Amino acid sequence: METGRMHNHRQRQVLVFFVCLSMSWGSADLGPYSVVEETERGSFVANLAKDLELGLAEMATRAVRIISQGNKEHLQLKVQTGDLLLNEKLDREELCGPTEPCILHFQVLMEKPLEIFQAELRVKDINDHSPVFNEREIILKIPENSPTGTAFPLSNALDLDVGSNNIQNYTISPNFHFRVITHKRSDGRKYPELVLDKELDREEEPEISLTLTALDGGSPPRYGTAQVRIEVVDINDNAPQFQQLLYKVHIPENSPVGSLVVTVSASDVDSGLYGKISYTFFQPSEDISKTLEVNPKTGEIRLRKQVDFETVFSYEVDVKATDGGGLSGKCTLLLQVVDVNDNPPEVTVSALTSPIPENSPEIVVAVFSVSDPDSGDNGKTTCSIQDDLPFLLKPSVKNFYTLVTERTLDREERAEYNITITVTDMGTPRLKTEHNITVLVSDVNDNAPAFTQTSYTLWVRENNSPALHIGSVSATDTDAGANAQVTYSLLPPPDPLVPLASLVSINPDNGHLFALTSLDYEALRAFEFRVGATDRGSPALSSQALVRVLVADANDNAPFVLYPLQNASAPCTELVPRAAEPGYLVTKVVAVDGDAGQNAWLSYQLLKATEPGLFGVWAHNGEVRTARLLSERDAPKQRLVVLVKDNGEPPLSASVTLHVLLVDGFSQPYLPAPEAEAAAAAPADPLTVYLVVALASVSSLFLFSVLVFVAVRLCRKGGAASAGRCPVAEGHFPGHLVDVSGTGTLSQSYQYELCLTRETGTNEFKVLKPSLPNLSSKSIGREVEENPSFQGSVGI
């Protein structure tokens, strides 16, 4: 994996260097360098460091390397010394054949910064091949009446070497009749002709044997020999004559096998056997023999195989016409191969970088070269890519192109590009090549996590078990890999007094929220906090969302009776005149419930009574009224048990005991039950009793007023800390007093202290405790209208 990373890094460096191509297109050429063929591998060619005017350290730093055409590594660069060495033993004949000079083109590429130098290596020929005749014995039939000076063509030898190392001269063994003359063809090859210097006499010498020697120009020279056997024939005084000495023909390279190239024609004025002509190629090369064939009777020359302009662009061969008497004439066929657009362009990618980082400025993605072996317009090319891609093609030197980004890329918009490089030549018809490159875009942490909601509302019922899962938040990140891995956290609350850490926790991996403690609706109805989502990129990006937790009420508070008080030392007795009409308001049971909603809806019912049917309780407001007329038979003391029940599930309840004293008008003094019994046992003066009762009532009322006043002051001082709540158990009450009066003939009016809450939007209020009789029932309505936050659950 580390090796692949280094390779990608090296490729990326190579591509960055090509950004500088626009400033270095005019690089100077190097060389030419030369080397003698068959030189051993590793031999010194040149010192590139010196030619490039670079130090050895700079050679390594600039990452100099050799690029050869077709990826044939004939040369190698030793960076430690800057020497250019042979990578293999070169055979000039194999590389270039008869072409001279033999030039191998290569490029010197420096990556940091990018520069390209064109260079060429010339392979020098050595005399490592001797001339060779295709025929070891050459047979000539020469009429005896041939005039002196007549030339007879001989087979030429072949030598794979070029230049001075090729055949330079032909010689023949000493004789009296013939000499040899060396001629040169248009392609540079040399061939011999035998010239008659002295007339022949068949009767004197019917056959002559000579040795033909071909010498090259090497040092020392090499040679090859062939035997020439001359048969002197009887007189056939007319040799065949061609209509043309030179047939120059053009044929397209895509001509099919069997295509007619040309028809040669010769004539002989002789008659009979001496006038019958046959056609053959004279001394054809191996390539000619494989490519062309001649019909010996008609002189038609046809293709034996398809020709290729890129391999051989011309052929030259002599055609010999021989009559029946052995006389012959010759002509030359010069066949020119016409190029057709039969080779599509070739694309060679030298460097490619993938993936490339998003949000980066112009980056070199690939470097490639284009070539077409055809000639003329057939070899000229144009290069393009798709129009809808954010990439550009920039031409370089020697058919090199660079593929660069046109603008910054966004991986979230598109993470992969399939680029098709289309190269088209200018031939007819046009040929094109398509090369596909896949470029991946690597991710950069440029997107913060995004919550699915800007705010979340979660409900949890009070008295929950600790570690209860109450909901989840979720955020997504459009980045990839670690840049898209989200971690959740609780953000510090704006109010440091809020114990957020003890209320909730969050799972950092999936955003699940848990209640750490059991929540109490009566103590905390709602709270909110912010959660953060942070990715694992570098640098990390984050976002936040608001979470509001609403506590749902549970029926965990039983009704609490405010009036009559049940903890007094003496029970409170209500006075009812015996003359009261049915529906007379005896008293009113006042109760509150610390819960909310239907859990605080209270209903009242008479559970027990001394005289069933004498009193009734209104279910919704707790008013105790007479149900019928009172009679003398009704006991003067009545004990009522009223049940107060909420509407929760399951319902909770409380009971209160009422003591009612039936009196004959209000002139009869009120006596508590024990005192009444004592009075009955020991009769006293009525005036004295009235005075005692009045004094006791005034004293009790004064003491009760003082206690209420103290309680009101304490409740006002603790109002800020209670935050709008009325904790009944602690006895702190806000200072809003509302008078609640019945419509009957109660002997006293009742005043209740109410707790106003701001946590709910309903116009409810809670009556906590009876107080001084200052306000009427109409004041309650006005207070509710003027203060919409006035709320509670009271049976009035």
Side-chain angles (χ1 to χ4, degrees):
M1 183 175 180
E2 185 65 22
T3 303
R5 190 180 296 111
M6 292 178 64
H7 178 68
N8 289 338
H9 178 68
R10 178 176 178 82
Q11 278 193 334
R12 190 174 294 110
Q13 287 180 332
V14 171
L15 291 180
V16 170
F17 295 147
F18 277 88
V19 176
C20 304
L21 280 175
S22 60
M23 298 183 292
S24 60
W25 293 156
S27 302
D29 290 346
L30 297 177
Y33 302 110
S34 62
V35 66
V36 177
E37 70 169 327
E38 304 299 332
T39 302
E40 292 297 324
R41 180 179 183 272
S43 297
F44 175 83
V45 177
N47 187 278
L48 278 185
K50 180 179 178 181
D51 292 348
L52 295 173
E53 297 181 358
L54 298 176
L56 297 182
E58 192 176 0
M59 288 279 290
T61 303
R62 296 195 64 181
V64 181
R65 60 189 179 101
I66 303 299
I67 300 176
S68 299
Q69 188 72 23
N71 295 325
K72 295 179 181 180
E73 298 180 354
H74 301 305
L75 299 172
Q76 62 176 335
L77 176 62
K78 189 173 184 181
V79 180
Q80 294 82 355
T81 61
D83 292 337
L84 184 64
L85 307 178
L86 280 179
N87 196 41
E88 61 182 5
K89 185 184 291 188
L90 303 180
D91 187 350
R92 193 209 64 79
E93 287 74 23
E94 180 182 351
L95 294 173
C96 301
T99 303
E100 180 64 13
C102 181
I103 298 176
L104 303 180
H105 295 279
F106 65 97
Q107 293 82 35
V108 178
L109 174 65
M110 292 191 293
E111 298 180 357
K112 303 176 181 178
L114 177 68
E115 286 187 272
I116 298 177
F117 294 87
Q118 302 295 326
E120 62 183 34
L121 177 66
R122 297 189 178 185
V123 183
K124 296 182 178 180
D125 183 53
I126 63 173
N127 193 24
D128 56 346
H129 294 87
S130 298
V132 176
F133 288 90
N134 289 333
E135 297 176 308
R136 302 299 298 174
E137 185 180 48
I138 301 172
I139 300 176
L140 294 178
K141 294 182 178 182
I142 301 176
E144 62 177 344
N145 61 343
S146 297
T148 58
T150 302
F152 304 93
L154 297 175
S155 299
N156 62 289
L158 297 178
D159 193 336
L160 297 180
D161 295 321
V162 295
S164 61
N165 292 327
N166 204 318
I167 297 173
Q168 300 296 319
N169 192 24
Y170 291 89
T171 63
I172 199 166
S173 58
N175 64 90
F176 296 104
H177 297 280
F178 298 95
R179 59 185 172 88
V180 69
I181 299 176
T182 303
H183 294 278
K184 186 176 182 180
R185 299 183 186 275
S186 60
D187 60 357
R189 291 185 300 168
K190 295 182 178 180
Y191 65 94
E193 277 191 346
L194 193 64
V195 179
L196 181 62
D197 284 340
K198 183 181 178 180
E199 293 181 352
L200 299 175
D201 185 357
R202 182 178 178 278
E203 288 72 25
E204 181 179 320
E205 194 174 12
E207 186 174 299
I208 301 173
S209 294
L210 303 174
T211 300
L212 179 64
T213 303
L215 296 171
D216 63 22
S219 180
R222 291 174 175 264
Y223 64 93
T225 61
Q227 296 298 315
V228 179
R229 185 160 61 90
I230 301 172
E231 295 179 3
V232 182
V233 297
D234 200 8
I235 295 174
N236 179 20
D237 52 357
N238 291 287
Q241 297 292 324
F242 281 94
Q243 295 177 359
Q244 297 176 226
L245 295 179
L246 177 63
Y247 288 85
K248 193 172 183 178
V249 180
H250 294 82
I251 185 170
E253 63 174 328
N254 62 346
S255 300
V257 175
S259 296
L260 178 64
V261 176
V262 71
T263 300
V264 296
S265 177
S267 60
D268 194 323
V269 296
D270 291 330
S271 60
L273 183 62
Y274 293 136
K276 188 176 181 180
I277 300 174
S278 63
Y279 301 94
T280 59
F281 287 131
F282 180 73
Q283 297 290 317
S285 65
E286 182 179 359
D287 193 19
I288 292 291
S289 299
K290 291 180 178 179
T291 306
L292 301 174
E293 62 181 0
V294 60
N295 188 315
K297 295 181 179 180
T298 63
E300 293 179 346
I301 299 176
R302 296 181 179 274
L303 290 179
R304 298 188 65 179
K305 71 171 186 177
Q306 197 168 18
V307 292
D308 185 4
F309 175 84
E310 288 72 38
T311 304
V312 180
F313 59 86
S314 67
Y315 297 88
E316 184 178 354
V317 64
D318 290 335
V319 182
K320 184 172 69 172
T322 306
D323 61 18
L327 296 180
S328 63
K330 71 179 182 69
C331 69
T332 301
L333 170 63
L334 181 59
L335 177 61
Q336 298 285 343
V337 180
V338 179
D339 181 45
V340 296
N341 194 25
D342 60 344
N343 291 283
E346 298 177 359
V347 177
T348 303
V349 178
S350 301
L352 173 64
T353 294
S354 180
I356 57 177
E358 64 174 333
N359 302 334
S360 297
E362 182 176 300
I363 295 178
V364 177
V365 178
V367 178
F368 61 93
S369 61
V370 177
S371 61
D372 193 319
D374 292 322
S375 63
D377 289 341
N378 296 334
K380 295 179 181 179
T381 60
T382 59
C383 189
S384 65
I385 60 174
Q386 302 99 302
D387 294 333
D388 58 343
L389 297 180
F391 297 92
L392 291 176
L393 277 181
K394 292 187 176 181
S396 175
V397 295
K398 207 67 176 178
N399 291 330
F400 272 87
Y401 291 85
T402 57
L403 179 66
V404 299
T405 56
E406 183 180 19
R407 55 175 171 83
T408 58
L409 303 181
D410 185 3
R411 190 204 64 83
E412 289 71 40
E413 177 183 340
R414 188 169 179 180
E416 178 179 321
Y417 292 90
N418 291 317
I419 305 172
T420 301
I421 300 174
T422 303
V423 183
T424 306
D425 61 26
M426 306 299 292
T428 302
R430 294 192 174 189
L431 301 180
K432 71 176 181 179
T433 297
E434 293 184 348
H435 187 86
N436 295 318
I437 294 177
T438 299
V439 178
L440 303 178
V441 182
S442 61
D443 185 54
V444 173
N445 193 27
D446 56 347
N447 290 279
F451 280 95
T452 56
Q453 301 173 215
T454 56
S455 63
Y456 297 81
T457 300
L458 307 179
W459 285 88
V460 57
R461 184 171 292 276
E462 67 172 329
N463 305 323
N464 58 283
S465 59
L468 175 68
H469 178 231
I470 61 175
S472 301
V473 296
S474 178
T476 58
D477 196 316
T478 55
D479 292 321
N483 296 333
Q485 296 178 5
V486 179
T487 301
Y488 302 91
S489 63
L490 297 177
L491 299 180
D495 185 1
L497 299 179
V498 177
L500 182 62
S502 63
L503 292 177
V504 293
S505 68
I506 190 169
N507 188 316
D509 297 325
N510 52 29
H512 291 177
L513 291 166
F514 300 89
L516 297 179
T517 60
S518 179
L519 301 177
D520 184 6
Y521 173 83
E522 289 71 36
L524 181 65
R525 296 191 176 187
F527 62 94
E528 61 183 28
F529 54 91
R530 289 190 173 274
V531 294
T534 306
D535 59 31
R536 297 184 180 178
S538 179
L541 301 178
S542 63
S543 61
Q544 55 182 267
L546 178 67
V547 178
R548 171 180 285 271
V549 179
L550 302 179
V551 182
D553 182 51
N555 192 28
D556 57 348
N557 289 282
F560 180 78
V561 178
L562 296 177
Y563 181 85
L565 295 176
Q566 298 299 297
N567 57 352
S569 58
C572 180
T573 303
E574 306 293 341
L575 302 179
V576 177
R578 288 186 178 271
E581 295 294 329
Y584 175 83
L585 178 62
V586 178
T587 186
K588 185 170 185 174
V589 177
V590 180
V592 294
D593 195 312
D595 295 319
Q598 67 178 13
N599 294 330
W601 296 349
L602 302 180
S603 61
Y604 304 84
Q605 68 182 68
L606 185 61
L607 191 63
K608 294 180 180 180
T610 303
E611 292 289 343
L614 180 58
F615 299 97
V617 178
W618 285 25
H620 299 297
N621 57 17
E623 292 181 353
V624 180
R625 296 179 181 270
T626 57
R628 60 176 175 79
L629 291 174
L630 279 70
S631 66
E632 294 295 333
R633 293 190 300 271
D634 294 330
K637 297 179 182 179
Q638 298 288 330
R639 181 175 178 272
L640 306 178
V641 178
V642 178
L643 180 68
V644 183
K645 184 172 63 174
D646 61 25
N647 198 39
E649 185 62 38
L652 300 179
S653 62
S655 63
V656 59
T657 302
L658 302 177
H659 296 277
V660 179
L661 182 62
L662 305 181
V663 297
D664 294 326
F666 288 100
S667 61
Q668 183 176 342
Y670 163 72
L671 293 176
E675 297 179 5
E677 293 176 359
D685 184 54
L687 181 58
T688 304
V689 172
Y690 292 153
L691 292 177
V692 171
V693 170
L695 180 61
S697 299
V698 171
S699 300
S700 300
L701 183 60
F702 175 78
L703 179 60
F704 181 75
S705 299
V706 171
L707 292 177
V708 170
F709 177 79
V710 173
V712 168
R713 295 301 297 271
L714 291 177
C715 185
R716 287 178 177 176
K717 291 182 180 179
S722 61
R725 295 175 53 251
C726 291
V728 176
E730 289 83 348
H732 302 293
F733 305 99
H736 296 280
L737 302 178
V738 179
D739 179 60
V740 182
S741 300
T743 58
T745 57
L746 282 176
S747 60
Q748 52 185 315
S749 62
Y750 297 92
Q751 188 176 63
Y752 300 93
E753 184 165 349
L754 303 180
C755 173
L756 305 182
T757 62
R758 290 170 292 181
E759 290 81 353
T760 177
T762 60
N763 294 330
E764 295 183 350
F765 61 92
K766 296 182 179 178
V767 179
L768 300 180
K769 182 177 181 182
S771 185
L772 296 177
N774 293 329
L775 302 176
S776 65
S777 61
K778 294 181 180 179
S779 301
I780 300 174
R782 289 197 302 270
E783 181 70 12
V784 171
E785 291 176 357
E786 295 172 0
N787 190 351
S789 63
F790 186 81
Q791 66 177 3
S793 299
V794 182
I796 298 179

